[in-house]
Amino acid sequence: MSVIYKLTFSLFALTLVVFGIYGTYQLRTESQDLRDDVEKETRLLAHSLLVSVENALRDQQTEDVQELLQQIEHFKPSIDVSVYIQNHSIIRSGAESLVWPEEVKQTLSQTALDGEMKQFYFPADDPDFLVMSLPFNKASTAMPGNLAVVRSLQKMKEDLSKTRTYILWSFFSLISFTSLLCFFLGQIYISRPLQELRQAMLAFRNSREPPEPLPISGNDELSSVRQEFNRMTVQLFSAYRRLDAETQQRRQLQRALQNADKMITIGQLSAGLAHEIGSPLQIINGRARALADGSEDLQEVRRIANILVDQTDRITRIVQRLLEFAPRPSSEPVLCDVIQAVAEVIDMLGFEARRQGVVMTFTHPERLPLLLINKDGIQQIVLNLLSNALAAVVDTGSISVDLSQNSIVYADNKIPALRLTVSDTGTGIAPEHLPYLFEPYFTTRSKQGGTGLGLAVVKTLVTEMGGSVVAETEFGKGSHFIVHLPWKNPS
């Protein structure tokens, strides 16, 4: 519900309560005033009639009394007057316009017998009649009795009904006018400015350039909000530009860090690869010298030539493996067989593992579907983790690589993920070093040539892929590095 509707309904409810209370009070006051006026008028009429009737009865002029009552009832049809004599006789006009309830008659007869003055409404809860009975002055007449005046309240009820209708119409007219006025003014002074501000926010969100500043007129709160919004957009776009520049610098730094780490790793592998390349070179050299000695045996020449082909192919494969891990300009996701990508890294480090007496095992599902993933990134993650594991294993030991399907929780939703676990039986990591494990340039192997870049690069690559990496270790017994990467099927 919009703000204007809320304000309009709130004003409607408030006006309804306030004027409802006021209208009820006004109606009750009007009702009481009408009752008081009717009572005063009836009492004045009754006392006037009482004097006239007493004089007529004192002179024994009963006909004059009856005529007087007829005249009163003729001019005031809402009033009936009767004279009750204590000898059970009643003088009436004979032209009564009201039908007296039986209970009223009985009450008036008993009041006349008792010689009392009495005034009451009948019925008590919602009266239709005002009844007044006045006793004769005993000194003025020899015929004791009471003058009874019964007045219909129908006219008073009609007046009250008109007053109630007038109050209700005034009440609802005022509420309707006030609510409509609030609605239209709210549309002009609140809804329209807020809508313009919303449109500017949408344009700000979807634009890469600063939006046109909102026009400012007046000195009210909405004008202040517009002014602050204009300032905010200018400051935010300035901050966006600085952030973009810093992001580009950070990405360049990360690429440089990754390339430096890769070159360092390649340099560390060069020693082992030199031995692996040196062996076939020695064979090639020896066989070439044999050919140079001028052997004339054709079969021997062919056999030596085949050996030369095999060994040069071997050197080519070794060099190709090394080139595969040279810095690459692109890290875009490509369709990749993850099992094969991980196996290539394990194969490349196989010689170094055998030289150290370390057994490397690779467990994985029989088959995984092709995934959209940064192949160069995942190979560098495996390379860095395996290089650290080889450095952690002293003398002999084992390293296991496990690849499987799993899931991770992202924004309270489970999404499929690739789980990579690299475990070793090395020295483990000291508890005080765990908080700094993935920080750049933190290393415990500086004397052995460690640079402190390997795990920092792993953390950076995993984060860029939207995954997570954790280390589980027990000092002196080995470590487990667990990597989760979101599973992205090709669309």
Side-chain angles (χ1 to χ4, degrees):
M1 182 182 292
S2 67
V3 176
I4 297 306
Y5 285 109
K6 289 181 180 178
L7 287 176
T8 304
F9 287 140
S10 299
L11 180 63
F12 180 84
L14 179 62
T15 310
L16 187 67
V17 172
V18 172
F19 283 93
I21 296 173
Y22 173 77
T24 302
Y25 170 77
Q26 187 71 16
L27 193 61
R28 288 183 178 179
T29 302
E30 185 71 16
S31 175
Q32 188 62 44
D33 291 344
L34 283 175
R35 278 196 177 193
D36 293 342
D37 291 343
V38 168
E39 286 184 10
K40 288 178 182 179
E41 183 182 346
T42 305
R43 190 177 296 112
L44 180 62
L45 177 63
H47 281 284
S48 300
L49 286 174
L50 181 63
V51 174
S52 299
V53 170
E54 285 177 346
N55 292 333
L57 290 177
R58 186 179 61 238
D59 298 337
Q60 302 293 323
Q61 296 176 352
T62 306
E63 293 81 2
D64 293 342
V65 172
Q66 190 171 16
E67 184 179 356
L68 177 62
L69 298 183
Q70 288 176 352
Q71 291 177 356
I72 293 296
E73 292 173 3
H74 175 73
F75 289 108
K76 284 282 187 179
S78 62
I79 296 177
D80 279 352
V81 183
S82 298
V83 177
Y84 285 81
I85 310 299
Q86 286 188 356
N87 60 6
H88 299 290
S89 62
I90 302 175
I91 302 175
R92 293 181 177 173
S93 66
E96 291 85 1
S97 60
L98 303 179
V99 179
W100 294 18
E102 192 64 32
E103 186 176 345
V104 172
K105 293 179 181 179
Q106 294 175 1
T107 302
L108 289 176
S109 298
Q110 186 61 42
T111 303
L113 289 175
D114 297 337
E116 297 177 347
M117 182 182 71
K118 193 165 188 177
Q119 176 183 317
F120 62 93
Y121 287 93
F122 183 86
D125 51 352
D126 185 19
D128 294 324
F129 301 98
L130 169 62
V131 181
M132 188 175 293
S133 179
L134 300 177
F136 296 148
N137 188 352
K138 295 180 180 180
S140 301
T141 179
M143 300 176 63
N146 280 41
L147 175 71
V149 179
V150 177
R151 181 166 187 168
S152 173
L153 301 178
Q154 184 63 34
K155 181 67 168 56
M156 186 188 76
K157 286 187 173 183
E158 291 176 356
D159 292 341
L160 280 176
S161 178
K162 291 178 180 178
T163 302
R164 184 184 297 109
T165 303
Y166 172 77
I167 290 175
L168 288 175
W169 273 108
S170 302
F171 171 55
F172 283 110
S173 298
L174 178 62
I175 289 179
S176 300
F177 175 77
T178 306
S179 300
L180 288 174
L181 182 63
C182 174
F183 179 79
F184 285 116
L185 292 179
Q187 288 286 344
I188 295 172
Y189 294 112
I190 298 178
S191 285
R192 189 178 299 170
L194 287 179
Q195 187 67 22
E196 292 175 356
L197 188 60
R198 179 177 178 273
Q199 294 296 333
M201 289 180 178
L202 291 175
F204 172 78
R205 184 180 66 182
N206 299 326
S207 175
R208 302 189 67 86
E209 295 296 329
E212 291 293 328
L214 292 174
I216 298 173
S217 60
N219 297 317
D220 57 4
E221 291 83 355
L222 284 173
S223 297
S224 299
V225 171
R226 288 185 171 209
Q227 188 174 3
E228 291 301 323
F229 176 78
N230 291 338
R231 292 176 183 171
M232 181 194 68
T233 53
V234 173
Q235 294 173 358
L236 279 178
F237 267 96
S238 176
Y240 285 164
R241 292 190 182 97
R242 291 196 303 269
L243 184 61
D244 286 340
E246 292 172 0
T247 301
Q248 292 297 330
Q249 293 176 0
R250 181 181 60 83
R251 288 176 179 172
Q252 292 174 2
L253 182 61
Q254 286 178 345
R255 293 192 190 101
L257 185 65
Q258 294 169 13
N259 293 336
D261 174 71
K262 186 174 290 187
M263 294 306 297
I264 290 170
T265 305
I266 291 174
Q268 292 172 346
L269 295 174
S270 297
L273 291 174
H275 182 273
E276 196 166 351
I277 294 174
S279 296
L281 283 176
Q282 290 177 0
I283 296 173
I284 291 172
N285 184 270
R287 295 300 183 267
R289 290 181 183 277
L291 286 176
D293 289 340
S295 174
E296 297 180 358
D297 187 352
L298 184 59
Q299 292 296 328
E300 182 65 16
V301 170
R302 289 180 177 176
R303 186 181 71 81
I304 293 174
N306 288 331
I307 292 174
L308 291 176
V309 170
D310 292 339
Q311 295 305 314
T312 53
D313 287 344
R314 180 182 173 190
I315 293 173
T316 301
R317 287 195 301 271
I318 293 171
V319 173
Q320 184 63 35
R321 289 179 201 164
L322 187 62
L323 290 175
E324 285 178 355
F325 291 91
R328 299 175 185 175
S330 175
S331 60
E332 294 296 325
V334 295
L335 284 177
C336 172
D337 183 348
V338 181
I339 296 176
Q340 181 181 352
V342 174
E344 289 175 0
V345 181
I346 295 174
D347 184 47
M348 193 185 83
L349 295 178
F351 172 77
E352 182 65 20
R354 291 191 297 272
R355 189 179 65 82
Q356 291 184 211
V358 176
V359 178
M360 283 202 302
T361 58
F362 180 30
T363 58
H364 55 82
E366 184 177 349
R367 185 175 176 275
L368 286 176
L370 294 178
L371 300 181
L372 272 175
I373 201 165
N374 180 1
K375 180 179 179 181
D376 179 60
I378 197 169
Q379 286 187 325
Q380 190 166 354
I381 291 171
V382 177
L383 176 63
N384 289 1
L385 292 178
L386 286 179
S387 298
N388 280 3
L390 284 170
V393 177
V394 180
D395 296 332
T396 60
S398 63
I399 298 175
S400 63
V401 181
D402 180 71
L403 192 64
S404 61
Q405 291 181 248
N406 206 299
S407 63
I408 57 176
V409 177
Y410 182 79
D412 297 331
N413 294 321
K414 275 191 175 183
I415 60 175
L418 193 69
R419 177 188 171 102
L420 172 69
T421 305
V422 177
S423 306
D424 64 69
T425 59
T427 56
I429 303 168
E432 63 270 18
H433 295 157
L434 280 176
Y436 314 103
L437 202 57
F438 295 102
E439 291 186 3
Y441 305 110
F442 174 78
T443 180
T444 58
R445 298 187 291 108
S446 56
K447 294 182 180 180
Q448 290 78 29
T451 62
L453 295 178
L455 291 180
V457 170
V458 168
K459 179 69 174 179
T460 300
L461 288 170
V462 170
T463 303
E464 286 181 351
M465 295 182 191
S468 63
V469 56
V470 294
E472 298 176 356
T473 184
E474 187 175 354
F475 189 62
K477 294 188 177 180
S479 304
H480 304 275
F481 285 86
I482 304 170
V483 178
H484 284 93
L485 299 174
W487 187 286
K488 296 180 181 179
N489 290 317
S491 55

